[in-house]
Amino acid sequence: MAERLLSAKKCENARPGMPPKGSKAKPNGPYRLFDGGGLALIVMPSGAKYWQFRYRFAGRENTLQIGPYPAIGLEKARKERDRYREVLRSGADPVTARRVERAKVAQATADTFAALADEWIEHRKPFVSPATVERDEGIIRRVLLPKLGALPLREIDATMVVAALKKAQADGIVYSAHRARTLASQIFVYAIGSGRATHNPARDAGGALRPKPSERNLSALPFARVGDLLTALDGGQGASAVTATAIKLMLYTGLRDAALRGAQWKEIDLQARRWTVPAERMKRRGNEERQPHAVPLPAQAVAALEALRPLTDRGPDSYVFASTGKGGYLAENTLRIALHRLGFEVTAHGFRSLLTDELYRAGFRSEWVERQLHHKDKDKVRAAYLRTDFYEQRVPMMQWWADACDAQREGKRLPALPDVPEFKPLLRAA
C-alpha cells in the first residue's frame, strides 16, 4: 500500500514560495508535496495547485497530470493514483491508457443519437423524396430527440426507446409513434453498419405500443364543391392568406404538396406566367434522375401570387409560402388541417386526382395531363423517345381549368375548350 504522507490540512495550507524543509525547489518557484506511491501536489508560484502521478514505464520516468486542487481533493487523487498503478501492473502505460479512455469518451459524445440521426438523414436524402425527408425529420425531432437526442448510442437500451415512443402515444400521435420506432431502428442499423453501435434497441420496441388505429381514407374534393372551396378561401376565415394561397395554387397547378410548399420567389416569373420547380423538390420518376418541372400559371394563380407578394417577398431566396416554422415555409400537415378547418374532409393530395379526372373528362390528351402532373410515361418505349414536356399545350389547358373552377363557383357553364391543335403522335405505331 502506498504511503499516505499528506493530510487534507497540509494540502489546504500549502502556500506559494514556502516549500517544506529539505526541499530542493528554487526560491519563489514551484515545489512538490509528496504523498507517496508517485502522487504529489504541485504548488505553483501563482498559488495554483495540481496533482501529478510520477511513474516508470519501459525504463523511462513519466508524469501524468491528474488535475487541479481543490477540484480534485486528496482522497480522490489517491484513488486516481491507485487506478493508474493497477494499469502499470497490467503492463500498460497509464498515459496511453488515459488517452484511449478519453478518445472513447469523446467518440461516445460525438456518437449521440441526435448526431447519428442527422447523419442518417443526409445519407438517405438522395434516395427518397423531399416530402419523405421533411416528414421523417419532423417525427424524429418531435418524438425521438427530446428523450434520446443527447444520449450516446451505445448507452441507449430498449426501455429508453419505449419511453420516447410511449410519450408520443400518450400525446395522441399513435401513427407517429409507430413511424418513429421504424426510423429509430433504421438509424441504429446505420450506426451498426458504420461501427458505432453494437445492437438495435428499437427493433423490438414496437410490441410496447398500442396497435395503429384503422386508417380512414379521405376522398379527393369533388368538382361540385370547388366553388364552395374558393369562396371559403376568399372569406378569410379558417386559413391565413399564405395558407389560402397555397391551397389555391395546388388547385390551379396540380403540384404535389412537397413541391409546392417550399417555393421561393426566384422560381416564379409572374410576367411570363411560369413557375419552374427545381429538381430537388420534384419526385423521382422511376430510376430517372429528378428533373425540374415547368408549370404554367393561369391568370387566377398569378393574381393570387400578386396579392401574396407584399406579405412574403423579401428577396429572390425568400419563401412564397413563408411561415415561422423550422423550415421557414408551411409545414407538411398545414394544408390538410386548413382544409378540414374550412369544412372540407379531403386530402391536399386529392387535388391531383380532381385535376386528372376533370381534364380527362373534358377531353384533353393524356400526354398533356400526365406531363402536368409530372408522371412517368408507363409506355417505356414511348418514354424513351418522347422528350417534350408539352408546355405550350399545357398553358391553355391549365387556363381552361382555372376558368372552369371560376365557372363552378359562379354557377355558370364550363368554358369552351381552348383552340389547341391536336397532338400529333411522335412515334409511328408498331
Side-chain angles (χ1 to χ4, degrees):
M1 182 175 177
E3 298 177 78
R4 301 167 68 90
L5 303 178
L6 293 177
S7 66
K9 190 170 184 179
K10 282 185 180 180
C11 294
E12 183 181 353
N13 292 338
R15 296 290 182 265
M18 299 177 62
K21 292 181 180 179
S23 172
K24 295 181 180 179
K26 296 179 180 180
N28 299 320
Y31 65 90
R32 290 183 174 86
L33 296 177
F34 296 97
D35 186 56
L39 179 65
L41 182 67
I42 312 302
V43 183
M44 304 299 290
S46 64
K49 304 172 188 179
Y50 302 93
W51 293 107
Q52 286 183 346
F53 172 56
R54 303 181 76 179
Y55 63 95
R56 295 187 69 82
F57 181 78
R60 297 179 58 183
E61 186 174 280
N62 294 293
T63 301
L64 186 149
Q65 306 295 334
I66 292 178
Y69 174 91
I72 297 177
L74 176 59
E75 291 305 316
K76 186 174 180 180
R78 285 171 173 166
K79 289 180 181 178
E80 287 292 289
R81 171 198 61 195
D82 294 343
R83 184 163 70 91
Y84 288 122
R85 284 167 67 89
E86 285 298 319
V87 172
L88 273 174
R89 291 190 188 99
S90 70
D93 178 14
V95 169
T96 302
R98 187 164 73 171
R99 286 174 183 165
V100 171
E101 185 179 274
R102 287 180 172 177
K104 287 181 178 179
V105 171
Q107 185 65 40
T109 302
D111 292 340
T112 62
F113 184 85
L116 261 292
D118 287 342
E119 186 178 321
W120 175 76
I121 288 169
E122 291 300 318
H123 169 76
R124 197 179 62 142
K125 268 185 180 178
F127 310 106
V128 297
S129 69
T132 299
V133 172
E134 182 184 1
R135 178 198 62 191
D136 291 348
E137 278 186 321
I139 290 174
I140 290 170
R141 184 175 67 253
R142 293 191 303 271
V143 177
L144 299 174
L145 295 190
K147 286 188 175 294
L148 303 178
L151 300 177
L153 280 172
R154 294 174 184 267
E155 301 299 322
I156 297 174
D157 59 26
T159 60
M160 297 174 182
V161 176
V162 169
L165 300 179
K166 283 199 167 183
K167 172 65 167 60
Q169 183 176 263
D171 291 341
I173 47 176
V174 180
Y175 284 109
S176 292
H178 281 272
R179 179 62 182 166
R181 188 208 65 79
T182 300
L183 295 174
S185 183
Q186 292 174 358
I187 291 167
F188 277 104
V189 168
Y190 174 75
I192 292 169
S194 57
R196 286 170 289 181
T198 57
H199 67 292
N200 182 356
R203 183 177 52 201
D204 302 318
L209 295 174
R210 293 197 305 268
K212 288 185 283 188
S214 58
E215 295 191 23
R216 180 168 62 101
N217 293 321
L218 298 175
S219 62
L221 181 75
F223 183 61
R225 296 209 66 196
V226 166
D228 295 336
L229 174 63
L230 290 173
T231 300
L233 291 172
D234 289 339
Q237 301 295 323
S240 68
V242 172
T243 302
T245 305
I247 293 173
K248 287 182 180 180
L249 265 291
M250 185 170 284
L251 174 67
Y252 291 141
T253 65
L255 279 172
R256 290 182 176 87
D257 176 275
L260 181 136
R261 288 181 293 105
Q264 294 175 287
W265 281 106
K266 64 183 177 184
E267 302 167 11
I268 297 174
D269 186 338
L270 292 176
Q271 186 173 0
R273 295 186 176 184
R274 183 185 181 107
W275 178 359
T276 304
V277 183
E280 58 266 23
R281 285 212 315 280
M282 296 307 300
K283 185 176 181 179
R284 190 189 304 276
R285 299 194 295 191
N287 294 322
E288 296 178 4
E289 291 294 320
R290 291 190 179 96
Q291 299 293 330
H293 183 43
V295 180
L297 294 173
Q300 292 88 334
V302 171
L305 288 168
E306 289 282 15
L308 181 64
R309 194 166 197 168
L311 299 179
T312 65
D313 189 354
R314 301 294 181 265
D317 293 326
S318 56
Y319 291 112
V320 177
F321 307 112
S323 81
T324 57
K326 181 183 177 183
Y329 53 85
L330 294 179
E332 180 183 7
N333 292 320
T334 302
L335 303 186
R336 176 183 59 81
I337 293 170
L339 285 167
H340 293 187
R341 190 181 296 125
L342 289 167
F344 299 88
E345 291 288 317
V346 297
T347 64
H349 191 77
F351 286 127
R352 290 170 61 81
S353 298
L354 168 65
L355 180 67
T356 303
D357 291 345
E358 297 306 317
L359 291 181
Y360 274 128
R361 183 176 290 116
F364 289 98
R365 297 194 66 90
S366 64
E367 293 88 349
W368 307 350
V369 177
E370 297 307 315
R371 282 294 192 271
Q372 179 65 26
L373 297 172
H374 199 252
H375 281 164
K376 180 179 175 63
D377 198 319
K378 295 179 180 179
D379 186 324
K380 294 184 179 180
V381 176
R382 182 169 62 181
Y385 292 97
L386 198 57
R387 300 298 184 184
T388 179
D389 68 355
F390 300 107
Y391 184 82
E392 291 184 5
Q393 291 86 349
R394 289 190 287 122
V395 170
M397 180 179 74
M398 296 311 293
Q399 184 59 59
W400 177 90
W401 166 242
D403 291 342
C405 291
D406 279 353
Q408 211 287 325
R409 173 169 55 177
E410 297 163 7
K412 297 180 179 179
R413 293 170 61 94
L414 292 180
L417 292 175
D419 184 15
V420 181
E422 280 291 307
F423 167 70
K424 296 179 180 179
L426 299 183
L427 294 178
R428 189 178 298 275

